[in-house]
Amino acid sequence: MKKIVEKVYNRLLLVLPDELYLKVKFRQLMGKKLNLKNPQTFSEKLQWLKLYDRRPEYTTMVDKYAVKGYVAKIIGDEYIIPTLGVWDRPEDIDWDSLPNQFVLKCTHDSGGLVICRDKSKLDKKAATTKLRKTLKQNYYRKWREWPYKNVPRRIIAEQYIEPAPDLKDLPDYKFFCFDGEVKALFVATDRQKEGEEVKFDFFDADFNRLPFKQGHEHAAVTPRKPKNFEVMKKAAAQLSKGLPHARVDLYEVGDKVLFGEITLFHFSGLVPFRPEEWDKVFGDMLTLPGERLGGAIIRLMDNDEIEFSYPDLPDYKFFCFNGKVKGLYVATDRQKEGEELKLDFYDENFNHLPIKQSHENANTALKKPLQFEEMKVLAERLSQGIPHVRVDFYELESGILFGEMTFFSFSGLLPYQPEEWDKIFGNMLTLPGERGGGI
């Protein structure tokens, strides 16, 4: 009875719209609520990308056949594993035309391989059954990875790649890339060993081992750094240029590097990191579209309305007195769900001041913005000749953005803690007339 209920439940889930489906799946598999308004972790950001980053070329990138031409144009034909045949149905496979060793796989799916090391021993009936079943699978529907939705369902045969004799396995090097920059990778081993589960070992961009697990255990022996590691990194960086995130999978065969596949949603973003904090570490590596341009994430809703959400972009608020910056405060945690706004006060040289006003200070020390002096210059220009004005700025990689000008900070109606700071700031403000007789 329990199995029947689960089957009915899973079938009902499939009819849900993408966003609701992913929220249910995320809660089910990750054990927590999915935050799409202000995604912070790697897993959350991958769900956001599934829903709102839908570029047509992504369909080509995940198509196991079409991607070969795409990759060859960027890094060259020498990286491509030769294709031996393409068919629409398992019954159409020309077995006689295939060599003694080969690999069969479907273009629209992940997994579902048929590996043939000796054609005379291949169970063609079992292979046909497996491929027929795989062709029926709707990978998009299962994980809502939009790029798979329109991939033509075909079967391709590829040349079998022989692992090095001393390895007895072909390690798969999977590079985590963020807009053309390799920041980490993992190595999959024991993939073809009978009776063995695949092993995953994670490394940083310099091949230093990282202390976490995801999905599978570590190998008994730490995988060695490939001879062509720098060549692999360069190829992965070229293939991922302009993409918020892509995982580029490569093989090393002798002195050659061969392309495996491009994965846009590692583990579909639905397998926990152990320990969990690494999900946030990888999330910080991934900049969503729009985050570099003012901090706004923009998406078009089903009813054609536009909705904005914002990552936490510090707001630098400069206290200016007749063209002179004499202090500022920084507002943080403005968009974090479940968090209250934090305010930290600084002097004109960005030394922290022991002040609170209306809100608590941030839990961690804030870094001085890289463009702090440029902000001060702009604030002083804007406030020239004005008794007092607060000038607000944001700092982006591309430059400084103006926020607003405020003439009455908190409307002058919120106490300072300690109270003496109200008098200190009062001494900075010269009212009109005070310079000419004190009136």
Side-chain angles (χ1 to χ4, degrees):
M1 184 66 182
K2 184 179 178 182
K3 287 185 177 180
I4 294 173
V5 171
E6 286 179 358
K7 192 173 182 179
V8 171
Y9 172 75
N10 288 329
R11 284 190 175 277
L12 288 173
L13 276 183
L14 291 175
V15 303
L16 294 177
D18 290 353
E19 183 172 321
L20 183 55
Y21 180 86
L22 288 175
K23 285 180 177 179
V24 172
K25 276 293 181 187
F26 198 86
R27 172 78 79 172
Q28 188 181 65
L29 298 173
M30 303 296 285
K32 57 185 178 180
K33 184 180 177 182
L34 172 60
N35 180 0
L36 290 171
K37 289 281 187 183
N38 183 26
Q40 296 291 307
T41 66
F42 186 58
S43 301
E44 288 174 334
K45 289 187 176 184
L46 289 183
Q47 309 313 315
W48 191 98
L49 288 171
K50 287 181 190 179
L51 294 167
Y52 309 120
D53 184 36
R54 298 189 168 185
R55 289 156 56 173
E57 59 266 35
Y58 290 164
T59 296
T60 300
M61 291 179 196
V62 302
D63 184 326
K64 303 293 188 293
Y65 178 62
V67 71
K68 296 187 179 194
Y70 173 87
V71 169
K73 286 180 181 178
I74 299 172
I75 58 174
D77 290 318
E78 63 271 23
Y79 290 89
I80 306 302
I81 298 173
T83 300
L84 306 174
V86 185
W87 303 277
D88 293 326
R89 305 180 307 154
E91 295 80 9
D92 298 333
I93 296 173
D94 185 357
W95 300 101
D96 294 335
S97 69
L98 295 174
N100 188 50
Q101 294 183 318
F102 55 88
V103 175
L104 296 171
K105 57 186 177 182
C106 293
T107 56
H108 73 296
D109 190 57
S110 181
L113 296 175
V114 172
I115 299 173
C116 176
R117 297 181 181 86
D118 183 348
K119 192 161 69 168
S120 66
K121 297 178 181 179
L122 178 66
D123 186 340
K124 295 177 185 175
K125 185 176 180 182
T128 299
T129 300
K130 183 176 183 179
L131 291 168
R132 189 183 296 115
K133 183 178 179 182
T134 303
L135 279 177
K136 290 179 180 178
Q137 290 182 356
N138 189 328
Y139 197 73
Y140 153 71
R141 201 175 179 203
K142 185 176 181 182
W143 302 116
R144 302 305 161 100
E145 296 186 17
W146 174 83
Y148 285 95
K149 188 173 185 178
N150 297 312
V151 175
R153 300 188 185 190
R154 295 177 287 184
I155 301 161
I156 61 169
E158 287 185 343
Q159 180 179 307
Y160 176 75
I161 306 301
E162 191 74 52
D166 60 326
L167 290 178
K168 298 180 182 178
D169 185 36
L170 187 65
D172 195 351
Y173 301 93
K174 299 172 178 287
F175 292 83
F176 291 93
C177 307
F178 303 86
D179 192 14
E181 185 178 353
V182 172
K183 294 191 177 179
L185 72 146
F186 73 91
V187 185
T189 53
D190 289 347
R191 296 179 310 141
Q192 308 302 332
K193 286 186 180 178
E194 198 167 335
E196 282 279 352
E197 186 185 355
V198 67
K199 307 295 190 302
F200 287 171
D201 291 84
F202 291 81
F203 300 85
D204 67 14
D206 297 314
F207 212 81
N208 299 305
R209 191 165 186 171
L210 296 175
F212 71 90
K213 297 178 182 179
Q214 191 188 25
H216 299 278
E217 294 299 313
H218 292 155
V221 178
T222 301
R224 66 192 185 193
K225 184 178 180 179
K227 293 181 296 182
N228 295 292
F229 185 62
E230 294 303 323
V231 175
M232 288 178 161
K233 281 176 64 177
K234 183 179 178 181
Q238 288 176 285
L239 290 172
S240 62
K241 187 68 178 171
L243 305 177
H245 167 64
R247 202 192 73 207
V248 179
D249 300 356
L250 302 167
Y251 303 102
E252 181 179 65
V253 182
D255 292 326
K256 292 184 67 176
V257 173
L258 294 175
F259 169 76
E261 65 179 314
I262 294 175
T263 298
L264 298 174
F265 311 102
H266 167 70
F267 274 157
S268 207
L270 291 169
V271 175
F273 287 75
R274 296 179 289 161
E276 188 179 359
E277 57 259 31
W278 282 93
D279 201 357
K280 180 65 167 64
V281 173
F282 274 73
D284 290 341
M285 299 177 189
L286 173 51
T287 301
L288 294 177
E291 283 186 325
R292 293 183 186 274
L293 301 174
I297 300 171
I298 306 168
R299 56 178 175 165
L300 185 65
M301 307 302 287
D302 291 338
N303 59 0
D304 291 331
E305 290 184 2
I306 292 176
E307 180 176 292
F308 295 83
S309 60
Y310 299 86
D312 188 46
L313 192 68
D315 193 353
Y316 301 94
K317 299 172 177 289
F318 291 82
F319 289 98
C320 305
F321 302 87
N322 193 24
K324 201 74 178 171
V325 169
K326 295 191 177 180
L328 72 147
Y329 71 84
V330 186
T332 55
D333 289 351
R334 297 175 308 142
Q335 305 297 336
K336 285 186 179 178
E337 198 168 334
E339 286 280 351
E340 188 184 351
L341 171 72
K342 307 293 192 306
L343 301 182
D344 287 81
F345 288 78
Y346 297 84
D347 67 14
E348 66 273 20
N349 297 311
F350 210 78
N351 298 306
H352 197 270
L353 297 175
I355 305 171
K356 292 182 182 179
Q357 191 184 25
S358 177
H359 297 278
E360 293 297 314
N361 295 150
N363 296 323
T364 56
L366 302 178
K367 291 181 180 178
K368 183 178 180 179
L370 296 174
Q371 302 166 93
F372 183 68
E373 294 304 324
E374 291 91 332
M375 288 182 180
K376 281 176 63 177
V377 169
L378 292 172
E380 290 182 343
R381 286 181 185 172
L382 290 169
S383 62
Q384 194 68 43
I386 303 173
H388 167 65
V389 65
R390 199 192 72 208
V391 183
D392 301 356
F393 292 112
Y394 305 101
E395 181 178 57
L396 308 175
E397 289 182 10
S398 56
I400 298 167
L401 282 183
F402 169 76
E404 64 180 343
M405 296 175 75
T406 299
F407 291 95
F408 310 103
S409 180
F410 285 133
S411 205
L413 293 172
L414 289 179
Y416 285 80
Q417 300 172 271
E419 188 178 354
E420 58 260 31
W421 281 94
D422 199 359
K423 181 67 164 61
I424 294 171
F425 274 87
N427 289 336
M428 298 177 186
L429 172 53
T430 302
L431 296 176
E434 282 187 333
R435 292 182 184 274
I439 299 174

